[in-house]
Amino acid sequence: MLFDTHVHLNAEQYNEDLEEVIERAQEAGVTNMVVVGFDRPTIEKAMDLVERYEFIYACVGWHPVDAIDMTDDDLRWIEELSSHPKVVALGEMGLDYHWDKSPKEVQKEVFRKQIRLAKKVKLPIVIHNREATADIVEILKEERAEEIGGVMHCFSGSPETAKECVNMNFYISLGGPVTFKNAKKPKEVAAAIPLDKLLIETDCPYLAPHPYRGKRNEPSYVKLVAEQIAEIKGISYEEVAKATTRNAKKIFAIN
């Protein structure tokens, strides 16, 4: 019983074999997934997937890299979609200082607008953070994001930052990097954060866990993330699977 909280099955990398990928996920024990749409084409595909598969849910929002492209019409469209019964969160949203397509000030404005929308429609938010931790934490505090809470997706920060986010009503989601031999921080976070505040994800097709690092990722591999967390915490794999599934259903309000 595994819940992959962040997949991009709407990516073109699955155009040829989506059915097989989904079948493999189910065979590996993945009972639920959240597919993330972050611009017009990927949101449309995400909504198509939730209509076709009972166990797939959607998260819709605007990616910070493309913040410069978001219009008021796009924001209104996201608001309309937020009332769909299978849209369980808004995002992924946040800040990305690695790529320079969208100026920082534009990213911040689009991030704030989406947090305010999420509070209006009462949905949790999914945070994308790349090289922007201090600014993200500051904006979450200023916008009182703890009122809705959410997910720190593919968390790569320190245990101290993770604890700060948990105190703001956020879950810490770990993906493939926690399995990398040289990835110290995710392992420290897995050890430091209580099991009732952890989620697991693949972020597929990106960030495949060891031993598939560098290859196309897929939801069936989320089992490797759960196994690694179990090893770090010195508990059973079943315990991690149950707890992270329970946590995901709680934050996304899935019965």
Side-chain angles (χ1 to χ4, degrees):
M1 191 165 133
L2 296 161
F3 196 133
D4 190 342
T5 60
H6 200 108
V7 303
H8 295 286
L9 292 179
N10 45 354
E12 60 190 15
Q13 285 91 328
Y14 303 109
N15 284 355
E16 303 303 315
D17 63 345
L18 180 65
E19 294 291 330
E20 292 93 325
V21 167
I22 289 172
E23 270 173 35
R24 282 195 291 272
Q26 290 185 295
E27 283 162 14
V30 180
T31 51
N32 295 100
M33 304 178 223
V34 173
V35 62
V36 180
F38 53 80
D39 60 13
R40 282 258 168 190
T42 59
I43 289 172
E44 282 166 1
K45 274 190 169 178
M47 297 311 294
D48 177 51
L49 284 167
V50 302
E51 298 297 349
R52 283 164 53 199
Y53 297 97
E54 190 189 343
F55 49 90
I56 295 180
Y57 296 84
C59 169
V60 297
W62 215 264
H63 200 285
V65 169
D66 302 311
I68 198 162
D69 300 325
M70 194 187 83
T71 65
D72 289 342
D73 278 349
D74 294 323
L75 197 65
R76 276 191 291 272
W77 181 51
I78 290 166
E79 182 171 359
E80 281 165 26
L81 292 174
S82 71
S83 63
H84 190 288
K86 291 187 81 181
V87 170
V88 294
L90 295 195
E92 58 191 277
M93 63 178 78
L95 302 173
D96 191 313
Y97 293 169
H98 182 76
W99 306 106
D100 60 2
K101 180 186 168 186
S102 296
K104 288 180 182 178
E105 291 313 310
V106 174
Q107 290 191 39
K108 288 177 183 177
E109 185 57 29
V110 165
F111 185 21
R112 289 182 190 275
K113 281 179 177 175
Q114 291 186 89
I115 296 171
R116 289 167 195 168
L117 173 59
K119 287 167 74 175
K120 180 182 172 184
V121 300
K122 296 184 168 54
L123 282 177
I125 56 179
V126 173
I127 303 298
H128 171 98
N129 170 20
R130 194 159 184 195
E131 298 166 19
T133 303
D135 285 357
I136 280 181
V137 169
E138 184 183 1
I139 289 171
L140 290 175
K141 285 179 177 171
E142 286 174 0
E143 295 294 335
R144 300 190 62 84
E146 75 277 0
E147 290 172 22
I148 42 167
V151 180
M152 304 307 289
H153 141 64
C154 212
F155 189 82
S156 60
S158 67
E160 292 72 30
T161 304
K163 286 172 183 170
E164 198 175 357
C165 294
V166 165
N167 290 337
M168 288 193 289
N169 198 20
F170 280 80
Y171 286 81
I172 305 300
S173 186
L174 296 172
V178 78
T179 70
F180 299 168
K181 288 190 167 60
N182 58 349
K184 196 165 152 248
K185 272 188 187 171
K187 287 181 169 63
E188 289 174 350
V189 168
I193 298 303
L195 192 54
D196 66 353
K197 290 295 172 190
L198 286 178
L199 299 172
I200 54 174
E201 64 168 274
T202 54
D203 196 21
C204 65
Y206 318 107
L207 294 173
H210 177 79
Y212 302 104
R213 190 173 182 178
K215 297 185 169 72
R216 184 189 73 169
N217 199 0
E218 57 177 75
S220 62
Y221 299 165
V222 79
K223 188 173 186 179
L224 297 164
V225 176
E227 286 171 348
Q228 180 67 61
I229 292 169
E231 193 179 310
I232 290 166
K233 286 193 166 296
I235 57 179
S236 73
Y237 158 75
E238 288 76 16
E239 214 175 321
V240 173
K242 269 187 197 159
T244 53
T245 297
R246 188 167 58 241
N247 297 343
K249 288 186 170 180
K250 187 176 176 186
I251 187 63
F252 296 132
I254 295 169
N255 296 328

